[in-house]
């Protein structure tokens, strides 16, 4: 019979006692990995086996596995058909919009994810992109490689600037903490619900409305999840409130911004940006964002989450999610199986 999943918090530590490989709980003993986990395959296999699972790498092949593991590879009706014994989809990622939840629900399959593995990594890149834009780091390298030396009249400092954080979840709060270290004049924040941790020491931020944040901030950093409510959330009207000296940072999801409007305004030099995520990934060759002058934008290929430490942590938490489900105490649940 299928388990009824229950949610609980991710444990603070990542040390887990190994389980003997032959142990089997609740009918879950075999795991099919459907996508490369971005760490060495032998490391991923070892982590899963240490939790008591037999592991099969089934990138395209069918399996009789009790659970499947994916990162961003879509889980569709067709994929589920190849794994008819599946009781659980374990997403080794925070986002899960690539999983057909209706198909899983219809089949009685639970879905879990990894909500907090890359908090530091993403927050650090947000600050890094702001510095890269302010200090013209990519432009300076281009100048040197072209045989020149003097690049510009000078960059800008983070100190004494107004920083705005849009979305005050774990990553947004951590980003605010990091920016606080640079002694900004003010830290502004927007969230659907006010977060006491944002206004308390050491962050000492101030909640404001979204329009006010875009009007006042020198740096706007986006940290909202992509869903039906946030698709195109930052539209042209908000973008037009940014001043020419402002910098927009997006390490959330490309779809939360009207990318066509953003590209148009960047080409008009209405503001600058540091972007790690895009509406379509990889970016199509004819995407307008690639026509933006290089001095107006710094681009990175969706690497905010991608540090050695975060990817290892992600695999550990995924294995723990599988173990918890098998033991009848599921956590990090996106969809509960009936």
């Amino acid at each position: 019979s299928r388990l009824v999943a229950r949610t609980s918090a991710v444990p603070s530590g990542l040390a887990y006692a190994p389980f003997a490989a032959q142990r089997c709980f609740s009918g879950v003993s075999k795991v099919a990995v459907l996508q490369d986990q971005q760490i060495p395959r032998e490391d991923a296999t070892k982590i899963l086996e240490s939790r008591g699972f037999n592991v099969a790498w089934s990138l395209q092949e069918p399996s009789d596995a009790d659970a499947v593991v994916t990162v961003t590879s879509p889980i569709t009706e067709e994929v589920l058909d190849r794994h008819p014994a599946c009781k659980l989809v374990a997403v080794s990622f925070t986002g899960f919009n690539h999983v057909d939840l209706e198909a899983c629900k219809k089949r009685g399959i639970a879905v879990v994810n990894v909500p907090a593995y890359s908090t530091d990594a993403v927050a650090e890149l947000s600050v890094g992109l702001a510095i890269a834009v302010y200090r013209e780091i990519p432009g300076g390298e281009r100048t040197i490689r072209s045989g020149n030396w003097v690049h510009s009249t000078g960059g800008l400092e983070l100190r004494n600037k107004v920083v705005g954080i849009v979305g005050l979840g774990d990553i947004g709060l951590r980003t605010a903490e990091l920016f606080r270290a640079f002694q900004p004049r003010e830290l502004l924040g927007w969230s659907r619900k006010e977060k006491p941790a944002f206004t308390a020491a050491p962050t000492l931020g101030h909640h404001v409305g979204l329009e006010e944040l875009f009007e006042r901030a020198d740096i706007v950093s986006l940290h909202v999840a992509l869903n039906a409510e946030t698709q195109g959330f930052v539209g042209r009207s908000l973008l037009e409130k940014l001043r020419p000296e402002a910098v927009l940072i997006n390490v959330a999801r490309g779809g939360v911004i009207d990318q066509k409007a953003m590209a148009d305004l960047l080409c008009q030099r209405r503001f600058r940006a540091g972007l790690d995520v895009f509406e379509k990934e990889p970016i199509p060759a004819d995407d307008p964002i690639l026509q933006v002058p290089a001095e107006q934008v710094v681009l990175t290929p969706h690497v905010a989450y991608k540090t050695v430490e975060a990817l290892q942590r992600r695999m550990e938490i995924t294995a723990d999610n599988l173990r918890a489900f098998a033991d009848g105490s599921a956590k990090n649940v996106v969809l509960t199986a009936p």
Side-chain angles (χ1 to χ4, degrees), residues 3 13 17 32 75 83 112 118 140-141 163 175 195 222 258 268 275:
L3 296 174
I75 300 296
H83 308 279
V112 296
S118 60
E141 182 181 9
V163 177
T175 303
K195 301 295 180 70
L222 303 181
D258 181 340
Q268 296 179 37
L275 306 174

Side-chain angles (χ1 to χ4, degrees), residues 15-43:
Y16 304 95
F19 291 84
Q22 68 271 18
R23 293 184 69 181
C24 173
F25 295 82
S26 303
V28 177
S29 61
K30 186 173 183 178
V31 173
V33 184
L34 309 188
Q35 185 180 7
D36 175 67
Q37 297 296 299
Q38 299 179 291
I39 65 173
R41 182 175 289 196
E42 58 271 24
D43 291 352

Side-chain angles (χ1 to χ4, degrees), residues 158-163 179-180 182-188 204 206 216-218 243:
L158 293 182
R159 187 177 185 276
N160 207 35
K161 299 299 187 294
V162 177
V163 177
F179 272 115
R180 171 56 70 191
F182 291 89
Q183 299 180 310
R185 182 164 76 252
E186 195 171 6
L187 268 175
L188 308 179
L204 301 174
H206 302 283
R216 293 180 53 200
D218 297 300
R243 292 168 283 108

Side-chain angles (χ1 to χ4, degrees), residues 18 76 91 120 173 207 217:
T76 63
V91 181
D120 288 325
L173 288 173
H207 291 100

